[in-house]
Amino acid sequence: MAAVRDTAARRTAAQHTVAEHLRLTAAGRIDEWVELFAPDAVLEFPYAPSGVPRRVRGREALIAHMRGFPETFDVAFVDLTFHDTVDPSLVIAEFRSTGTALPTGKPYEQRCVSVVRTNDHARITHYLDYWNPLVAIEALTPDGAGSDRSVTFGG
């Protein structure tokens, strides 16, 4: 992929990459999804619950982390909104996920804000993912589990 130099084209390419990230994640197409990331990219979850890594670095680790997503959640990402930034390679996106936690059949409704940095080739170099882990834990906890909230998801 050629480097994108023009500011407007760079912003458009970066936003397209984030939209593709959401589309491929929802479709469970992890092998294609990881190609959106630079080889040494970082995926960061500042509010990750116990058992979920806060930082995942590099394509192999990203694949390992996301491999179980298609068997865990059946989701669509909707209401995608981009907020303009001064830096055209920085994307701030708000969106919702709507769907089902497959192990329990419970609804999975999540609001997210992502802060994403891309390189000159519109590959993700750093993805800071703000989502509410309590929503995921509730969706993945079987009914009748009492106070046991020790579910696992991610890698």
Side-chain angles (χ1 to χ4, degrees):
M1 176 182 273
V4 181
R5 303 272 182 226
D6 172 74
T7 298
R10 188 167 182 162
R11 177 174 285 112
T12 298
Q15 290 176 349
H16 175 76
T17 296
V18 172
E20 278 296 284
H21 152 75
L22 296 174
R23 183 182 72 79
L24 293 171
T25 300
R29 295 166 54 183
I30 304 307
D31 292 330
E32 293 172 73
W33 167 84
V34 79
E35 294 299 320
L36 297 172
F37 289 80
D40 61 345
V42 172
L43 181 55
E44 190 169 356
F45 306 103
Y47 301 125
S50 178
V52 176
R54 292 190 187 268
R55 288 176 67 92
V56 180
R57 179 183 295 276
R59 284 184 177 164
E60 286 185 29
L62 289 168
I63 289 173
H65 178 75
M66 289 296 290
R67 183 61 66 202
F69 188 87
E71 292 81 35
T72 307
F73 295 107
D74 179 15
V75 297
F77 295 105
V78 298
D79 300 337
L80 176 61
T81 302
F82 293 115
H83 298 280
D84 286 339
T85 62
V86 174
D87 180 348
S89 63
L90 175 66
V91 177
I92 298 174
E94 284 186 73
F95 54 93
R96 290 184 312 109
S97 69
T98 182
T100 304
L102 294 173
T104 63
K106 289 180 164 183
Y108 181 66
E109 306 290 327
Q110 180 78 258
R111 295 188 58 82
C112 303
V113 174
S114 295
V115 180
V116 184
R117 295 196 173 277
T118 61
N119 63 18
D120 290 344
H121 302 282
R123 295 286 185 252
I124 297 167
T125 58
H126 189 256
Y127 195 110
L128 186 57
D129 199 12
Y130 291 100
W131 54 278
N132 184 345
L134 298 177
V135 171
I137 290 169
E138 176 58 34
L140 291 167
T141 301
D143 286 334
S147 62
D148 178 15
R149 299 285 191 230
S150 59
V151 299
T152 60
F153 53 97

